[in-house]
Amino acid sequence: MRNDGGVNSTRRALALAGILTGVAGLVTSQAVVWGLQAKNGPVVAVASAVRDLTPGDLAVDLVHLVGRADKPLLIGGTTVILLAICAWIGTQAVRRPWLSDLVYFALAALGLAAVARLDNSSMASGLGIVVGLITWLVVHRVLTAPLVGTADQVGDETRRSFLRRLAGVAAGVTLVGAIGGLTSQGRRRVEQARKLLRLPVTDAPVPSGADLGVAGIEPWRSPNDDFYIIHTALTEPSITPADWRLRIHGMVENEMEFSYDDLVQRQFTEDWITLCCVSNPIGGDLIGNAFWSGVLIRDLLAEVGVKEGADAVLQTSDDGWNCGTPLSALTDDRNAMLALAMNGTPLPIEHGFPVRMVVPGLYGFVSATKWLVDLEVTRFDQFDAYWTRRGWAEQAPVLTHSRIDLPRDGARTRAGTVRIGGSAWAQHTGIDYVEFQVDGGSWTRAQLGSVPNVDTWVQWSGEVEVGPGRHTVVVRATDKSGYTQTPVETYVVPSGATGWHGIEFDAT
């Protein structure tokens, strides 16, 4: 007679064995990566491949949906899928014992391919995957051996043997993980080096009149901790100032390499600059304003000597991400800089420490490379950058936009005088005036805050009399070129969203 309870018990035990086998391989693989100070572990490499193969418009929608949780969810989802496969492999140990080796080799091959496609991978990353594969093969046999041949029932001795092996493997995995964690000093070492830096920078106060002081409008200065974060790095590169180098090459007279100390010894430029992500939807919050300090990139390009015919600079991050920037935007009179500090302190790691590029007037996907390590002077027709390969524009100046912060969409207020306000921006062009419209009525010009230059956003505010009921507010901005925002709504791909921001609120 078939003992279904015994079969189910065995399958559950085999599934558990498979999951622990999967964990063991991941831990030993990552321990090798940590111990050898490699940059890419297997899960991150596979998750990176998923990220890169995701269509650009779908990627934008997912980021809007989950926000800053996108990378943890991607890495976590990759891990869960892998462990689910390992659990299934475990259940096949009785009837198809040959299958486990085949699948584990396939998973390792997938991991090696994912690692190999990343420019900053090393042999140590591949070695980690090989060690993980060996761990899978050995641990799978150790854990499943007592259960093979027990499809009908699991005896007490078999159960005790399985549990002893399970406990032993779990203890070993914990120990290896702890040792690997202790050897992973990269992030801690960089944080310590960052804290010890004393850069010749200032922390400028907010200019008088820039912040209108209206509660509900986002602060004119964005604190570092609140500044939006958008990048493709699944694990942020950890680079100490002593290890950082910038190579400038390509269509230049003299290829040069610069160290962090080389930049610190130079004359610094400092300025208020607003950065905005191209994937920011109408009324979105993927925008921030900070006081940046660094070195003018046009001075370095003058030193290397740009050859005639060049029209672009291909920027590359330590993690392999790249973008193409118009050469003219790096050599004209704007404060395009290699930024070392943000709001008076060394760059936070998540914002590109030790050095990133900041270019006023351009969306980040064509200019604002974090963890910058390479600049190739070239031509746009000679390369395809990360996002242009995915259907985004080759060149992307920031579009003129305005946003309503107060009242919030769906808010409830008292009838009578209602304060409204928000921010507007047209980096490197400047905002001339902002108008708002209530319930389809006439357009009213708003009060504007003062700004130190055309490269920052500007706060706007006004008052309106409303009666009880639901009301609609719409805003539009006109920049200093004379252009007024179009009401035509377009999606963020390929070069930024357009349209007017509108909200509704209820007055009682």
Side-chain angles (χ1 to χ4, degrees), residues 245-264:
R245 294 291 186 276
L246 174 67
R247 179 190 178 208
I248 304 181
H249 60 108
M251 297 176 65
V252 298
E253 298 293 343
N254 303 294
E255 179 178 322
M256 297 182 70
E257 186 175 270
F258 298 89
S259 68
Y260 192 81
D261 284 342
D262 290 335
L263 299 187
V264 173

Side-chain angles (χ1 to χ4, degrees), residues 142-475:
V142 169
L143 292 181
T144 60
L147 301 173
V148 174
T150 62
D152 291 331
Q153 63 180 24
V154 178
D156 291 341
E157 181 56 35
T158 298
R159 184 179 295 105
R160 285 193 291 269
S161 175
F162 173 71
L163 292 177
R164 284 195 298 269
R165 296 181 183 217
L166 202 69
V169 171
V173 168
T174 302
L175 178 61
V176 171
I179 295 173
L182 290 175
T183 63
S184 176
Q185 300 295 323
R187 175 85 183 202
R188 292 189 289 272
R189 191 161 49 93
V190 173
E191 284 286 11
Q192 184 65 24
R194 179 180 174 274
K195 290 179 180 177
L196 293 175
L197 281 175
R198 296 295 181 268
L199 297 175
V201 300
T202 58
D203 182 16
V206 173
S208 177
D211 199 317
L212 294 177
V214 177
I217 298 180
E218 288 298 311
W220 187 79
R221 180 213 289 267
S222 306
N224 290 0
D225 290 342
D226 296 336
F227 205 96
Y228 79 96
I229 297 176
I230 292 289
H231 53 68
T232 63
L234 297 179
T235 56
E236 294 149 358
S238 297
I239 315 168
T240 65
D243 294 333
W244 181 83
R245 294 291 186 276
L246 174 67
R247 179 190 178 208
I248 304 181
H249 60 108
M251 297 176 65
V252 298
E253 298 293 343
N254 303 294
E255 179 178 322
M256 297 182 70
E257 186 175 270
F258 298 89
S259 68
Y260 192 81
D261 284 342
D262 290 335
L263 299 187
V264 173
Q265 298 304 316
R266 291 173 173 267
Q267 178 68 44
F268 270 41
T269 183
E270 297 184 308
D271 212 349
W272 293 99
I273 299 172
T274 295
L275 300 183
C276 182
C277 181
V278 70
S279 59
N280 196 33
I282 299 300
D285 60 359
L286 298 181
I287 181 170
N289 184 53
F291 188 69
W292 303 91
S293 307
V295 174
L296 289 171
I297 185 60
R298 64 172 176 263
D299 291 345
L300 301 185
L301 292 175
E303 289 185 28
V304 300
V306 175
K307 291 183 178 180
E308 185 176 353
D311 65 3
V313 174
L314 180 63
Q315 304 183 30
T316 303
S317 167
D318 179 75
D319 69 339
W321 184 87
N322 59 21
C323 72
T325 307
L327 178 64
S328 59
L330 301 179
T331 55
D332 62 15
D333 61 355
R334 76 185 78 194
N335 256 353
M337 69 175 79
L338 299 179
L340 284 74
M342 179 181 182
N343 286 327
T345 64
L347 289 173
I349 291 178
E350 60 270 21
H351 287 292
F353 181 82
V355 178
R356 66 169 294 166
M357 185 75 81
V358 171
V359 184
L362 299 182
Y363 283 120
F365 83 103
V366 295
S367 68
T369 303
K370 300 174 182 177
W371 313 290
L372 181 68
V373 296
D374 190 275
L375 295 175
E376 180 185 359
V377 180
T378 180
R379 294 188 54 81
F380 276 111
D381 60 11
Q382 297 299 309
F383 66 89
D384 287 316
Y386 183 91
W387 283 115
T388 55
R389 291 194 298 270
R390 291 161 174 79
W392 295 73
E394 185 175 72
Q395 302 187 41
V398 173
L399 302 179
T400 300
H401 276 284
S402 54
R403 185 183 72 191
I404 302 169
D405 292 340
L406 179 73
R408 295 292 181 182
D409 192 30
R412 300 181 67 87
T413 68
R414 291 182 179 273
T417 302
V418 174
R419 170 73 68 175
I420 60 176
S423 299
W425 56 91
Q427 292 94 305
H428 208 59
T429 301
I431 294 294
D432 191 12
Y433 58 89
V434 173
E435 301 169 290
F436 59 89
Q437 180 191 69
V438 180
D439 297 334
S442 60
W443 289 96
T444 302
R445 287 204 181 189
Q447 173 193 357
L448 297 185
S450 60
V451 291
N453 59 53
V454 297
D455 292 328
T456 74
W457 61 3
V458 58
Q459 290 189 350
W460 65 269
S461 179
E463 291 183 343
V464 63
E465 295 291 327
V466 299
R470 173 154 292 192
H471 302 279
T472 300
V473 180
V474 177
V475 67

Side-chain angles (χ1 to χ4, degrees), residues 73-90:
L73 285 174
L74 179 55
I75 294 175
T78 302
T79 304
V80 168
I81 291 172
L82 173 64
L83 295 182
I85 293 173
C86 291
W88 175 78
I89 294 173

